[in-house]
Amino acid sequence: MGSATSRDRLMELLEPVVEAEGLDLEDVTVTPAGKRRLLRVIVDRDGGVSLDDVAEVSRSVSEALDADDAMGATPYVLEVSSPGVDRPLTEPRHWRRAVKRLVKADLRDGTAVEGRIVVTDETGVELDVDGAPRRIDYQDLTRGRVQVEFRRLDDAENDGEDGDEG
């Protein structure tokens, strides 16, 4: 079941199930795992995904798969999770969910820019690049990647607010 048609069928089957739980279906992959297959379902939403959300959508996805033959007769393991930090930013919602994060943006002209996402809207994103704002329209972006930071902006802003001294 590695074909694009099978993936498309799973996306079509599972998207309304995931949306009914208030989440976005980001991706579906099926990979061989010994005598079984691993069906990985990636979900997300604004504000993030809790363990309770994952458990609830797992139940709903499992029920939908049991009622359909999309996975065929070969055994499979279902894994539902949220996207990791390495997920590419390709959709406006991905950029919106990464506000305040440091990103590297690949542009259609072959260049790249690194900056912190300040704000997003329907047509593009504004980055703080070395203290200067830079507006980039989504049509000019190919993708972005959140950069791993050992000390995020949120952490630096909260320093000293908890009353600990020392």
Side-chain angles (χ1 to χ4, degrees):
M1 173 167 223
S3 72
T5 304
S6 299
R7 179 188 177 277
D8 291 345
R9 180 168 180 218
L10 284 168
M11 291 288 288
E12 187 177 304
L13 172 68
L14 299 179
E15 192 163 30
V17 173
V18 171
E19 286 178 356
E21 298 293 336
L23 301 166
D24 295 317
L25 179 61
E26 294 293 342
D27 198 13
V28 174
T29 59
V30 180
T31 53
K35 294 181 181 180
R36 300 174 185 223
R37 294 168 293 160
L38 174 62
L39 169 58
R40 184 171 287 132
V41 177
I42 308 296
V43 298
D44 201 5
R45 77 161 150 216
D46 290 358
V49 179
S50 72
L51 289 177
D52 289 339
D53 296 330
V54 169
E56 190 60 38
V57 81
S58 292
R59 280 191 286 278
S60 298
V61 165
S62 182
E63 289 171 7
L65 291 168
D66 288 347
D68 191 280
D69 69 346
M71 289 299 291
T74 306
Y76 66 91
V77 175
L78 172 63
E79 177 184 291
V80 177
S81 65
S82 60
V85 71
D86 60 342
R87 180 235 352 238
L89 307 176
T90 58
E91 300 287 333
R93 69 178 180 261
H94 300 160
W95 291 91
R96 181 180 68 241
R97 292 173 182 156
V99 167
K100 295 186 179 179
R101 302 295 302 266
L102 183 65
V103 298
K104 180 179 179 186
D106 296 330
L107 306 179
R108 293 208 184 278
D109 66 7
T111 63
V113 62
E114 188 171 36
R116 191 167 304 280
I117 301 175
V118 177
V119 68
T120 67
D121 59 30
E122 308 80 41
T123 61
V125 59
E126 181 180 314
L127 300 179
D128 177 339
V129 180
D130 297 326
R134 177 162 178 194
R135 169 81 186 178
I136 305 171
D137 290 335
Y138 293 126
Q139 67 186 11
D140 297 327
L141 291 164
T142 58
R143 70 177 193 160
R145 287 243 185 237
V146 172
Q147 301 300 291
V148 175
E149 297 181 87
F150 291 106
R151 185 172 182 172
R152 289 188 34 200
L153 178 64
D154 294 343
D155 296 337
E157 289 174 350
N158 291 329
D159 275 359
E161 292 181 13
D162 60 3
D164 287 346
E165 292 183 33

